[in-house]
Amino acid sequence: MRILVLGAGVIGVTAAWYLAADGHEVTVVDRQPGPARETSNANGGQIAASHAEPWANPGAPRKILQWLGREDAPLLFRLRADPYQWRFGLAFLRECLPWRTRRNTIQCLRLALYSRDCLQALRADTGLDYDQQERGILEFYTDARELEEGARTADRLRELGVVREVKTVDECVAIEPALAQCRARLAGGIYTATDESGDARRFTEELARLAAARGVAFRWNATVEALGADGDAIVGAHTTGAGARETLVADAYVVALASYSPFLLRPLGVPCPIYPAKGYSATIDVGQHGGAPTVSLTDLAAKTVTTRLGTKLRVAGTAELSGYGTDLNPVRCEALVARTFELFPDAGERASAQFWTGLRPATPSNVPLVGPTRYRNLFLDTGHGTLGWTMACGSARALADVIAQRAPEIDFAFTAP
Ligand SMILES: Cc1cc2nc3c(=O)[nH]c(=O)nc-3n(C[C@H](O)[C@H](O)[C@H](O)COP(=O)(O)OP(=O)(O)OC[C@H]3O[C@@H](n4cnc5c(N)ncnc54)[C@H](O)[C@@H]3O)c2cc1C
């Protein structure tokens, strides 16, 4: 089949890879001049398969209320006169019901764990190098009560096949010696040895290069303005680029446009409850400093992650539901760097910090939209929110199965036709 993949972030490029491996003739189209230039560009780098619990959980509404209006809040709803934002907020509240949280956790975990397996198999097949570390993820706590709560969650998740080990302060420092710099503040940690990390942008660029070598076509600088439909089929993708309009025609279409997916899907009547959740990252040169962590860390109190990418240290976090702007708020940038150097004074060259923002394509439940739609040749691979890098390979592999009408290897709540 001729398949057009819309979007060349980590989701679109992995989809193209697995579809080409199935023998399809694949073209990827993106408005940017190359792969991974938007949300997949400078994210937290974690393959956090064992941390796939949704933002929406029974404890979230209280925390969000406490954080309202705080410029440095980890999760901030900045209320706007935007019906889609309000709709998202109400749906998010509904997903905080205990039974829905449990269902969403199971879905996200299944996909994330499967995706980690797919990534490992892909790496073995291709020898891809993207500054990956297979040294686990250590979530560290500065508050003993929060650690107790984390340990209870770890117990509950064990029955779902997730192995999280509670660690003492000494054990945390043994896993990541850089934590010795803030030992006095630590209460302990929770370690998942099987999780990984790596540079999502490098991975996407490398995979796009391999895909091109295997015959996948890439159309850059082309914005998809609309999809044309006739009855129950999509008949073309209307694009503009370099002053020209063009309609790209294929046998099937995959939407991997992250936060921008609703703009194409709403006019077609395809439900797409995605809203952008803006996040920040700082990328710091490690230089000659010996105190930068190498094991990927999650700072539970600050809700940030730290990942070593070769000679750089990436710190990422915060979520702001405030529309589609990607401007940098200096308060948030400074909060990221200040926290990093407060905990790891010898982490790197503070003045080298490069700041970036990206829009996580969030769904209220955190469960991404993967699968068919009411149009027989239109498929979704979008809405991966906080975990698109973690879930990319598994979503792509499962979607290739759905398109080939094979039974996917995972039991997952795929979208319904
Ligand atoms: C601060 C931050 C930290 C994060 N940390 C992690 C982490 O540690 N681990 C993890 O798993 N995930 C993390 N994420 C989430 C992850 O980065 C995203 O889920 C993932 O990048 C989404 O990939 P995507 O391909 O769907 O989106 P994108 O990379 O944004 O790709 C979508 C593509 O569609 C293109 N596009 C959009 N509209 C159009 C149009 N109309 N026409 C043509 N092209 C169009 C864009 O140019 C873009 O290339 C983080 C996100 C942020 C913001």
Side-chain angles (χ1 to χ4, degrees), residues 349-370:
E349 305 286 341
R350 188 171 178 146
S352 71
Q354 301 266 339
F355 298 105
W356 168 85
T357 63
L359 302 175
R360 300 177 185 88
T363 63
S365 62
N366 255 53
V367 180
L369 308 171
V370 182

Side-chain angles (χ1 to χ4, degrees), residues 6-13 29-32 34-48 200 220 222-225 256-261 264 277-281 305 307 315-318 356-361 381-391:
L6 313 181
V10 69
I11 299 297
V13 171
V29 57
D30 199 290
R31 62 186 172 191
Q32 295 290 344
R37 300 295 166 90
E38 297 204 1
T39 312
S40 308
N41 185 48
N43 69 19
Q46 291 193 332
I47 299 295
W220 302 118
T223 300
V224 185
E225 304 287 356
L257 298 172
S259 297
Y260 300 87
S261 307
L264 259 65
K278 179 179 176 182
Y280 281 73
S281 75
V305 303
T307 292
V315 192
T318 79
W356 168 85
T357 63
L359 302 175
R360 300 177 185 88
D381 195 0
T382 185
H384 292 77
T386 48
L387 286 172
W389 172 212
T390 304
M391 293 174 169

Side-chain angles (χ1 to χ4, degrees), residues 23 36 51 68 92 100 120 145 158 174 185 192 196 212 278 308 318 346 360 369 376 393:
H51 292 90
L68 267 184
F92 180 93
R100 294 200 67 98
Q120 288 168 353
R145 263 197 326 208
R158 206 155 288 132
R185 297 180 60 174
T192 48
E196 305 186 354
K278 179 179 176 182
R308 182 69 171 266
T318 79
D346 195 28
R360 300 177 185 88
L369 308 171
R376 62 180 160 74
C393 290

